[in-house]
Amino acid sequence: MASAATHLGLREATLEGLQRTPKELPTVWLYDERGSQLYEEITRLPEYYPPRREREILRARSPEVAARTQARTLVELGAGNASRTRLLLDALAPTLERFVPLDVSEQFLRSTAEAVAAEYPRLAVDPFVGDFERDLHSLPAGSPRLIALLGSTIGNFYPAQRRRFLSAVAGALEDDDAFLVGLDLVKDVERLAAAYNDGRGVTEAFVRNALTAVNAELHATFDQRRFVYTAHWDPEHEWMDIGFRARHAHGVSVRALDLELAFAENEQLRVEVSSKFRRERFELEARDAGLGVDGWWTDEAGDFALALMTRNERRSTCP
Ligand SMILES: C[S@@+](CC[C@H](N)C(=O)[O-])C[C@H]1O[C@@H](n2cnc3c(N)ncnc32)[C@H](O)[C@@H]1O
């Protein structure tokens, strides 16, 4: 992130999250530069199937997405290394003029933008350092735009947050714009558990890095040895619950927030949820937010989906 401590609202969100039950750290703490590099490593793990499944769908369906959207501008929210986005960039080549990768992880974003600009010299590449929960109203113009959120990043929102986000996307879309989202689907619990408990411990290192970042930026005293990494399936919420369990009772100070935390033995500290989706429920959520799902494609195994959406109003005027 640009500088986590200066990131607008992050201190307040952290203070609020750490006072909840269970205690939570905002997910954005995962993505400083090291976190972004670790996430990139996760995408190459054999256990972590989502990027491969999403790539399979994009390979098959990007031409259709391009034909339907005719996008001049591609805005990618939470772009990361934009590795699978190349499939969209290639398919959209006849109409695309501008690519706007948006991410909170500034240095990583800059290197992604440089790499894409070098590979696509005819494209204007304008990186946007920002927060997709706050900055959707200031996305650049240039319709028809395709706004994409890949990698099942949407699964990292809590339900109320996701509702707000989808409504904000609907509010940001112009008549000719479309929204493309990648969604990991509900599946066998063993496969889900394996995806977040990889044999090499890369995911654990990624999640632990959030504690390192909070210690550095907010002068906190989280001691890694006192926390056990945990990632388990929550069947009620249908999400992977990812974070830590305190080994024993102890205290943690977060000096920059003037906060003293007491952890009980086995108390949970949540860093991320990764919700898994079902088509019908997602379509209802999208509809309630003002978005109509015009395209829904899955990989052959049915593990992952891509949904293409437009504003509800436009759909109702086009019978
Ligand atoms: C799950 S990763 C996905 C990365 C990439 N899209 C992919 O599919 O490989 C989430 C990405 O969103 C970014 N991110 C997380 N929270 C964000 C926020 N509030 N605003 C902007 N970017 C955010 C992270 O830095 C990271 O690059």
Side-chain angles (χ1 to χ4, degrees), residues 1 7 27-32 35-36 39-40 43 48 51 54 76-85 102-106 108 128-135 148-154 156-157 161 206 272 304:
M1 56 203 93
H7 178 68
T27 302
V28 79
W29 284 109
L30 291 166
Y31 294 101
D32 60 1
S36 298
Y39 181 77
E40 192 174 29
T43 64
Y48 196 67
E54 191 176 51
E76 184 175 9
L77 308 176
N81 68 4
S83 90
R84 275 154 276 122
T85 315
L102 179 153
D103 209 290
V104 77
S105 187
E106 180 167 6
F108 204 78
F128 185 147
V129 183
D131 182 334
F132 50 53
E133 287 193 79
R134 292 162 198 277
D135 295 327
L149 180 70
L150 301 179
S152 205
T153 302
I154 194 166
N156 300 138
F157 291 124
Q161 219 180 354
F206 168 67
E272 181 177 59
F304 201 92

Side-chain angles (χ1 to χ4, degrees), residues 236-258:
E236 185 192 336
H237 296 101
E238 296 197 318
W239 66 37
M240 287 299 295
D241 197 328
I242 301 157
F244 303 98
R245 166 176 71 71
R247 276 185 205 281
H248 41 71
H250 71 286
V252 172
S253 309
V254 188
R255 274 179 238 128
L257 301 179
D258 213 5

Side-chain angles (χ1 to χ4, degrees), residues 50-274:
R52 288 192 302 282
R53 300 306 194 218
E54 191 176 51
R55 182 178 294 281
E56 179 188 327
I57 307 170
L58 282 167
R59 194 172 283 131
R61 301 298 183 170
S62 290
E64 195 172 337
V65 172
R68 288 199 197 193
T69 61
Q70 302 280 309
R72 281 175 56 215
T73 308
L74 172 61
V75 178
E76 184 175 9
L77 308 176
N81 68 4
S83 90
R84 275 154 276 122
T85 315
R86 267 61 163 195
L87 292 161
L88 283 173
L89 294 174
D90 292 341
L92 285 165
T95 56
L96 199 67
E97 295 165 9
R98 190 176 187 199
F99 174 50
V100 182
L102 179 153
D103 209 290
V104 77
S105 187
E106 180 167 6
Q107 278 151 310
F108 204 78
L109 174 68
R110 301 232 177 266
S111 63
T112 294
E114 275 167 31
V116 173
E119 281 169 53
Y120 296 84
R122 291 177 47 212
L123 202 60
V125 179
D126 299 317
F128 185 147
V129 183
D131 182 334
F132 50 53
E133 287 193 79
R134 292 162 198 277
D135 295 327
L136 292 184
H137 59 278
S138 42
L139 295 182
S143 289
R145 296 175 302 176
L146 175 61
I147 299 177
L149 180 70
L150 301 179
S152 205
T153 302
I154 194 166
N156 300 138
F157 291 124
Y158 292 97
Q161 219 180 354
R162 189 166 65 235
R163 273 195 294 279
R164 279 195 300 275
F165 172 78
L166 289 172
S167 299
V169 169
L173 292 184
E174 304 281 340
D175 278 353
D176 292 337
D177 294 346
F179 178 48
L180 183 70
V181 68
L183 302 146
D184 195 12
L185 303 177
V186 173
K187 59 180 61 62
D188 181 63
V189 176
E190 276 78 50
R191 284 185 60 218
L192 287 172
Y196 296 87
N197 293 281
D198 64 277
R200 285 179 43 218
V202 184
T203 313
E204 175 172 348
F206 168 67
V207 180
R208 285 194 178 280
N209 184 59
L211 295 185
T212 308
V214 174
N215 283 348
E217 298 280 348
L218 296 182
H219 311 295
T221 61
F222 285 101
D223 180 344
Q224 301 277 6
R225 293 164 301 184
R226 293 181 155 184
F227 289 96
V228 181
Y229 170 71
T230 57
H232 65 268
W233 176 243
D234 176 337
E236 185 192 336
H237 296 101
E238 296 197 318
W239 66 37
M240 287 299 295
D241 197 328
I242 301 157
F244 303 98
R245 166 176 71 71
R247 276 185 205 281
H248 41 71
H250 71 286
V252 172
S253 309
V254 188
R255 274 179 238 128
L257 301 179
D258 213 5
L259 184 66
E260 295 296 327
L261 296 169
F263 280 91
E265 184 174 355
N266 290 327
E267 186 176 338
Q268 195 189 356
L269 170 62
R270 184 187 279 150
V271 182
E272 181 177 59
V273 295
S274 184

